[in-house]
Amino acid sequence: MKALRFGRHAAIAVIAAGALALTACGSDQVTGAAPAGSQSAGPKVTGTLTGIGSSAQGAAMDAWKTAFAAANQGATVQYSPDGSGAGRKALLDGSAQFGGSDAYLKDEEYASSKTICGPDGALNIPVYISPIAIAFNLPGITELKLDAATVAKIFRGEIATWNDPAIAALNEGVSLPDLKVTPVNRSDDSGTTTNFTDYLAAAAPEVWTDKAAGIWPATLQGENAKGTSGVVKTVTDTPGAVTYADDSAVSGKLGVAQIKVGESFTKISADAAAKAVDAGKAVEGRSANDLSIKLDRKTSIEGAYPIVLVSFHVVCSTYDKQETVDLVKAFENYVVSEEGQQAAADSAKSAPLSSALAEKATKAIESIKVKS
């Protein structure tokens, strides 16, 4: 893959479809005005598409829903940001037409997807790339330098105060307060948690002895809250608190950590996230059109930010009705287009897909068909 920052120059071709009536299993209010230039090329579709999943995708989904509805009068996308685990479950049990997930399907989930999606199962299509920030509430401090082992100790409760020698050694000249460290984790099954714990397990295995998982280890002490907005609010309201969250949700008085990669520290950014994803590899054992990506959390590439999530739209390779196929393909083609990726970048600070990855995503989307 090339560096994931250039987008894709291609028109969106969609198949015209008649009115479509689907039972909605969750809804989200479409807010804001359609961005300029949101009228995509090609015939329009109508109907209601239901998705459930990643809260990290929230800001991007708001932009995508608004622009898609503006370009396709009579078409609506409903999305409930209930968490990645809920999104994968909804796709697998048929209560949603797509799931938003910050982690690709596990092997057992992929096998299970063949029941509802046909012999090729579900497709994991990357749509949103974003760094996960280590965000903290320390009055007067907006930036700290941390390495993987120190981050792991903070979230395991092994570092009690912010002026601990381990933090001080990495931040010479910074006046660290004698303030209690309060780690805050997600209470729900979260793809953000999966990506964060995957980084810790790979980059600091001597400290982080738990396996990567979407559910936070029950043995660890600390505060918890539901969803991206929940953990950010808790940290914002709690001096000394620290959490991990999609960078797009972090603002206001919260500080953000630089992360040690190789011998230097990397500031969080969309470009730095893109460099880390560029070092990833395809997951083996999936269908030809599946685009699951295994990230290299231990990369030493200068300027790469390894605490990154690649968020997917999990869709079926086959659906029961042509109308559903047309609507899914139309929406997902918009999402991975240069226009859709720029809308997400503008609203959520995400890294646009590279032209190479966008082309693969388009090919995967175009392979979706009606069950035979």
Side-chain angles (χ1 to χ4, degrees):
M1 291 187 291
K2 299 177 182 178
L4 305 184
R5 67 179 85 173
F6 299 111
R8 175 174 63 94
H9 295 278
I12 305 169
V14 297
I15 303 171
L20 174 63
L22 294 172
T23 301
C25 304
S27 64
D28 210 7
Q29 294 297 318
V30 177
T31 58
S38 65
Q39 299 299 315
S40 300
K44 311 306 179 188
V45 293
T46 60
T48 301
L49 185 64
T50 300
I52 297 173
S54 163
S55 60
Q57 283 188 35
M61 278 299 306
D62 284 344
W64 290 331
K65 290 187 305 177
T66 301
F68 184 72
N72 296 274
Q73 298 297 325
T76 302
V77 178
Q78 298 179 322
Y79 185 78
S80 295
D82 298 334
S84 296
R88 296 194 302 274
K89 181 178 183 298
L91 187 280
L92 295 175
D93 67 20
S95 58
Q97 284 73 54
F98 73 96
S101 179
D102 302 335
Y104 55 80
L105 293 179
K106 301 173 185 176
D107 288 343
E108 57 269 28
E109 291 174 323
Y110 173 65
S112 175
S113 74
K114 296 179 180 181
T115 301
I116 192 167
C117 294
D120 286 336
L123 303 176
N124 296 272
I125 299 173
V127 297
Y128 178 82
I129 297 169
S130 182
I132 298 171
I134 306 300
F136 53 85
N137 182 347
L138 291 178
I141 300 176
T142 59
E143 199 167 69
L144 287 176
K145 295 178 178 179
L146 298 174
D147 58 20
T150 304
V151 173
K153 290 176 182 178
I154 286 172
F155 282 90
R156 294 196 76 86
E158 296 177 13
I159 291 180
T161 61
W162 282 102
N163 61 352
D164 184 278
I167 300 176
L170 298 170
N171 293 276
E172 185 177 353
V174 178
S175 181
L176 296 167
D178 184 12
L179 181 64
K180 178 184 175 182
V181 174
T182 302
V184 181
N185 62 267
R186 289 278 291 269
S187 62
D188 50 326
D189 186 346
S190 161
T192 307
T193 300
T194 299
N195 281 274
F196 181 54
T197 56
D198 186 50
Y199 163 73
L200 294 176
E206 69 287 351
V207 180
W208 194 266
T209 53
D210 295 280
K211 293 182 179 179
I215 298 176
W216 192 255
T219 56
L220 300 182
Q221 301 296 314
E223 300 292 328
N224 63 72
K226 184 177 180 180
T228 301
S229 59
V231 294
V232 170
K233 183 180 186 305
T234 299
V235 174
T236 301
D237 294 342
T238 310
V242 58
T243 194
Y244 54 95
D246 187 271
D247 187 44
S248 66
V250 178
S251 60
K253 64 182 181 182
L254 299 186
V256 175
Q258 295 181 36
I259 298 299
K260 191 173 185 181
V261 176
E263 296 303 316
S264 60
F265 291 87
T266 301
K267 289 187 177 182
I268 193 167
S269 71
D271 282 351
K275 284 188 177 182
V277 175
D278 191 42
K281 297 181 179 179
V283 175
E284 297 180 353
R286 305 299 172 95
S287 68
N289 288 306
D290 184 81
L291 297 177
S292 302
I293 300 171
K294 178 65 175 176
L295 298 171
D296 179 9
R297 304 294 189 181
K298 297 188 291 184
T299 182
S300 58
I301 296 174
E302 185 177 356
Y305 185 87
I307 318 177
V308 62
L309 65 82
V310 180
S311 199
F312 301 86
H313 279 177
V314 187
V315 300
C316 278
S317 55
T318 63
Y319 289 90
D320 289 333
K321 298 179 180 181
Q322 184 65 50
E323 292 86 355
T324 310
V325 170
D326 294 341
L327 190 56
V328 170
K329 290 170 74 171
F331 179 62
E332 296 301 340
N333 267 318
Y334 166 68
V335 167
V336 303
S337 71
E338 181 181 23
E339 183 183 23
Q341 288 295 294
Q342 189 59 52
D346 291 342
S347 63
K349 299 189 290 185
S350 58
L353 302 179
S354 69
S355 57
L357 187 54
E359 287 171 8
K360 291 179 181 179
T362 300
K363 180 181 178 181
I365 293 163
E366 289 304 324
S367 74
I368 300 170
K369 58 187 180 181
V370 178
K371 289 181 180 177
S372 57

